[in-house]
Amino acid sequence: MASVVPLKEKKLLEVKLGELPSWILMRDFTPSGIAGAFQRGYYRYYNKYVNVKKGSIAGLSMVLAAYVFLNYCRSYKELKHERLRKYH
Amino acid sequence: MNENLFTSFITPVILGLPLVTLIVLFPSLLFPTSNRLVSNRFVTLQQWMLQLVSKQMMSIHNSKGQTWALMLMSLILFIGSTNLLGLLPHSFTPTTQLSMNLGMAIPLWAGAVITGFRNKTKASLAHFLPQGTPTPLIPMLVIIETISLFIQPMALAVRLTANITAGHLLIHLIGGATLALMSISTTTALITFTILILLTILEFAVAMIQAYVFTLLVSLYLHDNT
């Protein structure tokens, strides 16, 4: 069989549960590493849903839905008081 | 009720960090660039729309004024997209903050006026006195024209702030009224709901119109001064 793949180069779904903390600690947390992560994530979404031959409204709507959800999370503290409950 | 109505206009801050920066930068994510001749549907639509708007808006300017095309197009895109995103539930609209609108209006207006002063000093000073005024009226008219000149940036900023804030407040109020009326009388609630639908359609129109008006006025001030 081929030699064992070192921990650093494994993808997330191939990492065993016990190795997870050391895998996370090995990731690149420098500013350029984080910027690279955001860029890779952006292009992954863009190339899958927007940059296709027959893109639909779903590509844009998913982004807007996530935006609405994040804003809801942000203002949950104030919205909590407007629930229909007997005791607040 | 009082506190709830205005909490949506507070600048979002999370753990002391300005979240508002991210919210202001978010519309830029929705306008991807593409260097291809034939790009995807999303980018093609945006490019078509941008070309339509820029042709309509920049055709009145001479070559000196047309150097402002990039500035004015990004301005109308920013204000339009920020206003439209503010119509989503729970979202924060940066253009409701007077500070931001003043920050957009004053530099643009000042740039147009100072360009006019530097390049065509006589013509821009002549704007202060309309043609054919009787001689005794001249001092008063110059004062009035000066005031009207200096009020332009204030009017630009306050117009945008007031329109968007008023629209959001109306939606909040009428939405709250609909909810409260639901348990009391369903017919009135339905009428109020129809009003809410019409108001939302109006707000979509206002969002885009305000962007257009802002940019158009800046371009007009530019036209006077180039």
Side-chain angles (χ1 to χ4, degrees):
Chain A
M1 223 180 84
S3 60
V4 179
V5 179
L7 183 60
K8 189 163 186 159
E9 293 160 10
K10 281 199 208 173
K11 291 201 208 173
L12 180 58
L13 291 171
E14 294 165 14
V15 169
K16 306 242 184 305
L17 211 58
E19 297 169 348
L20 196 58
S22 44
W23 183 87
I24 290 180
L25 289 172
M26 279 197 199
R27 301 296 294 169
D28 183 16
F29 287 114
T30 63
S32 72
I34 293 182
F38 275 113
Q39 212 179 26
R40 273 176 283 134
Y42 171 80
Y43 278 114
R44 208 167 125 181
Y45 182 87
Y46 182 68
N47 287 326
K48 182 164 183 191
Y49 290 107
V50 181
N51 202 8
V52 290
K53 198 166 182 184
K54 287 190 163 192
S56 68
I57 199 79
L60 179 65
S61 327
M62 281 195 276
V63 176
L64 294 180
Y67 181 65
V68 170
F69 178 67
L70 284 174
N71 276 314
Y72 180 75
C73 293
R74 171 182 62 81
S75 44
Y76 181 70
K77 217 168 175 185
E78 278 88 34
L79 291 169
K80 203 163 53 162
H81 301 297
E82 293 177 24
R83 285 185 291 199
L84 291 171
R85 294 264 195 281
K86 193 172 168 191
Y87 301 109
H88 275 245
Chain B
M1 177 68 177
N2 281 333
E3 198 213 57
N4 284 336
L5 198 53
F6 291 107
T7 44
S8 59
F9 295 115
I10 299 177
T11 326
V13 170
I14 190 169
L15 303 172
L17 290 170
L19 194 60
V20 62
T21 328
L22 288 174
I23 296 183
V24 171
L25 291 173
F26 177 67
S28 66
L29 273 182
L30 301 174
F31 293 104
T33 54
S34 168
N35 294 327
R36 294 171 170 240
L37 183 61
V38 179
S39 25
N40 53 60
R41 281 182 181 178
F42 194 52
V43 171
T44 316
L45 264 168
Q46 285 176 353
Q47 283 175 347
W48 166 80
M49 201 182 52
L50 201 60
Q51 224 186 12
L52 194 70
V53 174
S54 60
K55 275 200 181 145
Q56 205 262 329
M57 207 168 274
M58 306 309 296
S59 50
I60 47 173
H61 291 130
N62 53 18
S63 60
K64 194 152 192 351
Q66 277 176 357
T67 51
W68 281 56
L70 180 62
M71 181 75 233
L72 292 177
M73 285 309 113
S74 29
L75 185 68
I76 192 174
L77 271 184
F78 175 68
I79 301 181
S81 60
T82 323
N83 289 346
L84 283 171
L85 278 174
L87 290 171
L88 291 169
H90 306 306
S91 50
F92 171 73
T93 325
T95 38
T96 52
Q97 310 297 312
L98 185 64
S99 51
M100 159 153 233
N101 296 335
L102 277 173
M104 285 196 287
I106 293 184
L108 288 168
W109 166 85
V113 166
I114 292 179
T115 325
F117 264 42
R118 286 178 68 185
N119 300 339
K120 291 163 60 171
T121 323
K122 247 196 299 180
S124 53
L125 280 173
H127 276 131
F128 283 128
L129 197 61
Q131 259 187 341
T133 53
T135 327
L137 277 176
I138 289 184
M140 197 184 63
L141 212 54
V142 170
I143 294 177
I144 291 180
E145 289 287 328
T146 318
I147 296 177
S148 113
L149 179 75
F150 280 97
I151 225 171
Q152 281 173 351
M154 301 297 142
L156 269 177
V158 173
R159 183 187 301 114
L160 186 57
T161 315
N163 269 298
I164 306 296
T165 316
H168 284 345
L169 269 176
L170 266 177
I171 290 182
H172 275 285
L173 280 169
I174 295 190
T178 318
L179 262 165
L181 280 174
M182 204 96 84
S183 46
I184 300 176
S185 142
T186 325
T187 331
T188 327
L190 273 171
I191 297 176
T192 324
F193 188 64
T194 322
I195 299 179
L196 187 62
I197 303 260
L198 292 172
L199 195 62
T200 315
I201 296 176
L202 176 70
E203 281 313 307
F204 271 101
V206 165
M208 294 185 278
I209 289 171
Q210 284 305 313
Y212 174 65
V213 165
F214 196 100
T215 318
L216 187 68
L217 283 171
V218 173
S219 116
L220 222 62
Y221 301 151
L222 185 66
H223 187 63
D224 280 341
N225 288 310
T226 47

